[in-house]
């Protein structure tokens, strides 16, 4: 079994669709190993998205991710990282395939409902960021 991280972003939390997203994730065969709701500080969001620090959208991304609560979760299943990324859809919600999480609950490239790890290495780092080394 492989692990990955998914975050339900502030836009989806504000739409009150946490339960529906969780239901879809479990129906897709993912096991939720850890989950919590939290409010990221500016410093936490900057650290989590440090890889994007030099990008023009960094400030907007940090502001968005600190605009409300988020729900990070550690998920498990075979081929967790690629399967989750395919399941949630393209980063730009307007280009995501019908039936995907981002198409159903997102509105654009930033307010796209969820974050998902893009590699097993980043998944391990991101899970540790939210749940510690013992996760």
């Amino acid at each position: 079994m492989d692990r990955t991280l998914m975050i339900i972003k502030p836009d989806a939390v504000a739409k009150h669709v946490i339960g529906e997203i969780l239901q879809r994730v479990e129906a897709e065969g993912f096991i939720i190993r850890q989950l919590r709701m939290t409010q990221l500080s500016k410093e936490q969001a900057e650290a989590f998205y440090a890889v994007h620090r030099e990008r023009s959208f960094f400030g907007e991304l940090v502001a968005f991710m600190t605009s409300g609560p988020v729900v990070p979760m550690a998920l498990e299943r075979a081929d967790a990282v690629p399967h989750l990324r395919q399941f949630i859809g393209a980063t730009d919600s307007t280009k995501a395939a019908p039936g995907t999480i981002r198409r159903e609950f997102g509105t654009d490239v930033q307010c796209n409902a969820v974050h998902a790890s893009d590699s097993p290495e980043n998944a391990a780092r991101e899970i540790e960021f939210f749940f510690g080394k013992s996760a």
Side-chain angles (χ1 to χ4, degrees), residues 18-38:
I18 296 168
E20 191 168 346
I21 291 172
L22 293 176
Q23 183 178 27
R24 289 180 183 209
V25 166
E26 288 186 311
E28 189 64 20
F30 287 93
I31 299 167
I32 299 170
R33 291 295 179 200
Q34 293 175 292
L35 175 141
R36 68 184 179 111
M37 181 178 277
T38 189

Side-chain angles (χ1 to χ4, degrees), residues 59-79:
E60 289 178 24
L61 176 61
V62 169
F64 169 62
M65 290 301 291
T66 59
S67 67
V70 297
V71 181
M73 65 196 78
L75 303 174
E76 189 175 87
R77 69 162 279 150
D79 296 320

Side-chain angles (χ1 to χ4, degrees), residues 42-102:
K42 180 180 179 193
E43 294 76 22
Q44 288 171 317
E46 287 176 343
F48 186 79
Y49 286 107
V51 67
H52 298 303
R53 187 173 302 279
E54 301 305 317
R55 296 254 174 93
S56 61
F57 60 82
F58 181 73
E60 289 178 24
L61 176 61
V62 169
F64 169 62
M65 290 301 291
T66 59
S67 67
V70 297
V71 181
M73 65 196 78
L75 303 174
E76 189 175 87
R77 69 162 279 150
D79 296 320
V81 171
H83 193 94
L84 182 63
R85 291 189 65 81
Q86 181 275 326
F87 175 68
I88 66 170
T91 303
D92 185 341
S93 296
T94 64
K95 297 177 182 172
T100 61
I101 299 291
R102 286 177 167 163

